[in-house]
Amino acid sequence: MMTEDQMMALPPIMAASGNHETAIREFFPETFTYEGTEPEFGGPLVLLGFFNRSGSTLLGEYLKGLRGFSGFAEHLNHPVVRNVSEKQGIESFPDYFRAAQARYSPKPKHIHGFKASWDQLLMLKRARIDKMYQGVKMVHIVRGDVVGQAISLVIANQTLQWTSRQTPQATADPVFNAGRIARAVQACLEEEIRMRLVTELLEVPYMRVTYEGLDNSPATVIARIGRFLGRNLSTWSPSEPRLERQANELNAEWRERYMAMAKDELLASLDVGLDPLLTTISDSDGHGLSGDP
């Protein structure tokens, strides 16, 4: 029997390949890994870290609209990798990045970024794609209002409408389910924690931004990202985004309903009164579920 010191230190889910890596390895069974010993590109591999409904699509729209920037879409998802590779005759995973670099980043200082989840970051490291670049930099966008994010995720899973430019696919209206929202809250929190742990363990330069901060002052957030990437973006000002806000009265109604149910369940599980509980929460760190931490 193993002692505690001999047990795995890494959570099992983080030691296994994700579904995107598994499918891409199957598509490139002999040519998944970069075999070179020197970088091929002049700049870092810039990644936009995300989880569903975190605001990454809006931030990606802003970033790829900047002069000298492109990409920042979900081009590491295995269906996209397969489709692009088949259309362009790409025969290896490293060639997928060479093709993107040749098409979008012909100039040395141009940045072609990719959206990446924590497991896609691990996929890139296992494939040694980071060795093709001058390191990796991660801009991670999260939602301060994790309950709002979870509700948005549950609604999108039912309507199959992930952006305002898509048409809802479901014929029936979304159905409220507190259990689904609770599981989505947990998933949102776990995904954020895993990204922060992975980037810290891999010593990847990391910058965290929030959707709320981006929504309130996009120029401030873009200027901060510019400094992180070594670019002066302080004079940038946003144009009207092509994406429309999807949250509406239904989201607000579900949030109020869920929070009331969760509060009742939490209080029922505690042998304390209402006032001491609220005092402890408000005094703990001064932050609620909304806004920038």
Side-chain angles (χ1 to χ4, degrees):
M1 180 180 295
M2 290 192 302
T3 67
E4 287 191 15
D5 289 342
Q6 294 172 320
M7 292 181 180
M8 287 184 60
L10 193 67
I13 191 173
M14 297 173 65
S17 299
N19 65 316
H20 295 294
E21 180 177 346
T22 299
I24 293 171
R25 281 182 180 272
E26 291 175 354
F27 185 66
F28 294 123
E30 304 295 333
T31 56
F32 175 73
T33 305
Y34 176 61
E35 302 295 346
T37 58
E38 298 293 333
E40 296 187 9
F41 310 131
L45 173 59
V46 179
L47 301 176
L48 172 54
F50 79 109
F51 185 55
N52 293 327
R53 320 310 287 172
S54 63
S56 62
T57 302
L58 176 61
L59 180 53
E61 289 281 329
Y62 284 141
L63 289 174
K64 73 180 182 181
L66 296 168
R67 175 179 290 185
F69 287 73
S70 59
F72 296 100
E74 295 183 41
H75 291 161
L76 297 179
N77 290 359
H78 66 85
V80 179
V81 173
R82 175 184 290 272
N83 291 339
V84 170
S85 298
E86 289 176 343
K87 289 179 181 178
Q88 298 184 17
I90 295 172
E91 298 182 351
S92 75
F93 197 34
D95 279 347
Y96 183 76
F97 295 88
R98 294 186 183 105
Q101 194 77 8
R103 180 177 180 183
Y104 297 107
S105 311
K107 297 180 180 179
K109 293 186 178 181
H110 187 99
I111 292 176
H112 182 75
F114 297 85
K115 288 174 66 172
S117 56
W118 64 269
D119 56 317
Q120 288 172 326
L121 170 58
L122 290 177
M123 172 184 71
L124 295 173
K125 295 289 288 188
R126 291 191 187 103
R128 301 185 74 251
I129 300 301
D130 60 306
K131 302 300 182 183
M132 302 177 72
Y133 294 81
Q134 304 289 334
V136 181
K137 288 194 172 185
M138 172 66 71
V139 177
H140 185 201
I141 185 166
V142 301
R143 284 273 290 269
D145 180 7
V146 68
V147 173
Q149 180 182 4
I151 288 171
S152 179
L153 177 58
V154 170
I155 291 175
N157 272 322
Q158 294 187 53
T159 64
L160 300 180
Q161 183 185 19
W162 296 95
T163 75
S164 60
R165 292 200 293 267
Q166 295 175 327
T167 301
Q169 301 298 307
T171 56
D173 292 334
V175 177
F176 177 90
N177 184 303
R180 288 181 182 174
I181 296 173
R183 289 190 293 274
V185 168
Q186 180 170 321
C188 292
L189 292 171
E190 289 178 349
E191 291 292 310
E192 178 180 350
I193 291 168
R194 287 171 188 156
M195 178 66 83
R196 296 177 70 173
L197 178 58
V198 167
T199 52
E200 184 171 356
L201 291 174
L202 296 178
E203 299 182 344
V204 171
Y206 173 92
M207 176 183 180
R208 180 181 183 272
V209 301
T210 67
Y211 166 74
E212 289 80 4
L214 183 68
D215 186 47
N216 290 333
S217 182
T220 300
V221 172
I222 294 298
R224 285 181 56 218
I225 293 174
R227 291 192 294 272
F228 178 65
L229 300 178
R231 302 293 177 88
N232 183 1
L233 302 176
S234 59
T235 61
W236 176 83
S237 59
S239 57
E240 189 68 25
R242 292 186 297 168
L243 296 169
E244 297 178 4
R245 187 190 300 270
Q246 287 184 270
N248 52 31
E249 292 82 2
L250 180 64
N251 296 66
E253 175 190 329
W254 281 23
R255 193 183 197 287
E256 182 176 358
R257 186 175 173 185
Y258 172 79
M259 291 297 285
M261 292 176 65
K263 179 180 177 180
D264 287 345
E265 289 184 17
L266 179 61
L267 293 177
S269 70
L270 301 174
D271 188 23
V272 296
L274 178 62
D275 290 341
L277 175 65
L278 292 180
T279 299
T280 301
I281 292 175
S282 63
D283 289 346
S284 60
D285 60 4
H287 302 304
L289 288 175
S290 301
D292 288 332

